[in-house]
Amino acid sequence: MLGLYGAKLADGHWWSQAREPQYPLLLGQPATWLVTGGRGGGKTRLGAEWVNAVARGLPPFTVSGRRHNLIALVGETLSDVREVMIEGPSGIRATARDNVARYEPSRRRLVWRNGAVAHVFSSEDPESLRGPQFEAAWCDELAKWKNAQATFDMLQFGLRLGILPRQVITTTPRPTKLMKRLIADPKVIVTRLATVGNAENLASGFIAAINERFGGTQLGRQELEGELIEDREDGLWTRGLVEAAYLAEIPELRRIVVAVDPPASARKSSDACGIVACGLDGQGRVIVLADATVKAARPQDWANAAVNLFHLLEADCIVAEVNQGGDMVSAVIRAADASVPVRTVRARRGKWTRAEPVAMLYQQGRVLHAGRFAALEDEMCDFGIDGLSGGRSPDRVDALVWAVSELMPDRYSEPRVRTLSE
């Protein structure tokens, strides 16, 4: 992985143990390196090793062995800087090996034997960064900072020494304005560290236990996968609303339907075929059971997927939208299995108008999810008045809407034609 630098590094340095995302060859030495990651993903270790490297002039984090003598350490609080960044089990002192830096709490600074110094700051006091100047900085858990924008801006004014002032940011991502701005900045190098990638350094069974509890959830994707999960301002659904809809145990169901939103064509570049199954329980609640959406090259492929789900769940019927394919939709499903009942529906209003009453049912706790459906939930939370971002087709949302409206016709006001074909 680091053959270019291997001969220059002393035996036993971190490069021989690190994973590639933690120790990349950052060609061009970017001014800002943003590392987002899950809990236990190795973010703190990366930040600590980076600081030790720039303080000692170790490649590949420095150029030509040039060390950085003045460094800023910025955390959410002063306690966080000391307990996590400096003295934590993966902190700077623990990873310094043969050149342990001395911490001087009264002066709030860390001193290496070669004269390099790291000064301590917190997001609680942005003004403390007014005046000092640095060659490098490590910002930890930036997404949690109390005065994030002010603190980060003050730090940028202070990064003005040396040939190439640089900073590394390690954080579990949250959809803050500053985080979104940094990720969108083409000058910022972004690396993501998932918790599972560091499994060998975590307690036995931790990954399995944490995935069983949080896998596929918004919290899990943020805290374990290091994903930036955000809501759309004009979205019909929010992450919190979807999270609240999670149901741990499937109740007895009175009806089950499989809804299909066929693509407009069979071209490889066409939209996916939305396939969502829902059931109706004894309390009159709709339970989302499965998302089997497929990108099908041929109509018979999505028809087979829908029919297979129908049989797997022992559903009552398949509900299929026929705006795009007309009679062909029913014919394709019948060709896959002539015994499957098919109800055809035709949309007479826009997607937003059709989806709005379904979103209201979520708000009332009338629609629940019997599992984690990450792709469907992403689409729901990205569905605004002008559709999905980037102009994509909301195939999964469309199928969901048809399934819910079929099971709750009294709560769904759009007039539509329904026929039953055997």
Side-chain angles (χ1 to χ4, degrees), residues 37-39 172-173 193-196 210-211 213-227 229 243 372:
R39 302 284 187 92
T172 301
L193 300 176
T195 302
V196 68
I210 210 73
N211 274 332
R213 183 173 181 182
F214 299 106
T217 68
Q218 174 192 355
L219 184 62
R221 293 172 64 194
Q222 174 179 285
E223 301 294 324
L224 300 178
E225 300 297 326
E227 290 187 39
I229 309 294
E243 196 70 25
R372 307 293 185 177

Side-chain angles (χ1 to χ4, degrees), residues 117-133:
V117 179
H119 295 271
V120 172
F121 302 90
S122 87
S123 67
E124 297 175 317
D125 184 14
E127 290 299 306
S128 64
L129 282 158
R130 186 185 295 275
Q133 51 188 356

Side-chain angles (χ1 to χ4, degrees), residues 140-398:
D140 190 46
E141 294 298 353
L142 177 135
K144 290 174 55 185
W145 285 8
K146 293 178 172 61
N147 303 291
Q149 192 67 64
T151 303
F152 189 76
D153 287 345
M154 283 295 103
L155 176 63
Q156 305 317 295
F157 286 119
L159 281 170
R160 57 179 185 262
L161 295 182
I163 297 176
L164 180 64
R166 291 181 294 135
Q167 59 190 334
V168 64
I169 303 166
T170 55
T171 186
T172 301
R174 292 181 180 177
T176 65
K177 289 183 179 180
L178 179 55
M179 281 291 298
K180 288 188 281 188
R181 192 192 83 190
L182 289 171
I183 289 175
D185 189 339
K187 296 179 181 178
V188 175
I189 297 297
V190 181
T191 298
R192 199 174 90 188
L193 300 176
T195 302
V196 68
N198 199 36
E200 63 183 43
N201 295 313
L202 303 174
S204 176
F206 171 77
I207 296 295
I210 210 73
N211 274 332
E212 182 178 356
R213 183 173 181 182
F214 299 106
T217 68
Q218 174 192 355
L219 184 62
R221 293 172 64 194
Q222 174 179 285
E223 301 294 324
L224 300 178
E225 300 297 326
E227 290 187 39
L228 184 70
I229 309 294
E230 58 180 313
D231 290 324
R232 179 169 169 171
E233 290 185 4
D234 65 341
L236 274 179
W237 287 271
T238 65
R239 295 287 174 179
L241 183 62
V242 173
E243 196 70 25
Y246 175 67
L247 185 66
E249 186 175 344
I250 303 176
E252 185 176 345
L253 301 173
R254 294 159 44 194
R255 285 192 69 205
I256 297 176
V257 300
V258 174
V260 179
D261 177 53
S265 73
R267 296 192 308 270
K268 289 185 177 180
S269 59
S270 64
D271 300 326
C273 176
I275 304 174
V276 173
C278 294
L280 184 69
D281 73 1
Q283 300 180 45
R285 303 176 304 178
V286 170
I287 314 298
V288 181
L289 301 173
D291 173 15
T293 298
V294 294
K295 185 81 171 180
R298 302 172 305 170
Q300 54 264 46
D301 293 334
W302 59 254
N304 286 333
V307 167
N308 290 339
L309 185 60
F310 170 89
H311 288 301
L312 177 66
L313 298 177
E314 298 181 352
D316 297 280
C317 71
I318 290 179
V319 180
E321 180 185 316
V322 296
N323 283 59
Q324 300 293 342
D327 293 339
M328 180 274 293
V329 174
S330 298
V332 171
I333 298 174
R334 284 197 297 271
D337 189 334
S339 68
V340 174
V342 179
R343 294 188 186 276
T344 59
V345 291
R346 186 177 296 276
R348 302 182 185 281
R349 297 182 182 179
K351 296 180 184 292
W352 170 276
T353 305
R354 288 186 281 120
E356 194 170 21
V358 175
M360 291 178 62
L361 291 172
Y362 273 83
Q363 295 171 8
Q364 297 165 4
R366 300 287 304 279
V367 183
L368 303 173
H369 287 199
R372 307 293 185 177
F373 309 111
L376 171 61
E377 292 165 10
D378 282 348
E379 203 170 277
M380 291 166 65
C381 295
D382 186 38
F383 185 70
I385 196 164
D386 58 348
L388 298 182
S389 59
R392 296 174 295 119
S393 176
D395 312 295
R396 289 177 167 85
V397 168
D398 276 347

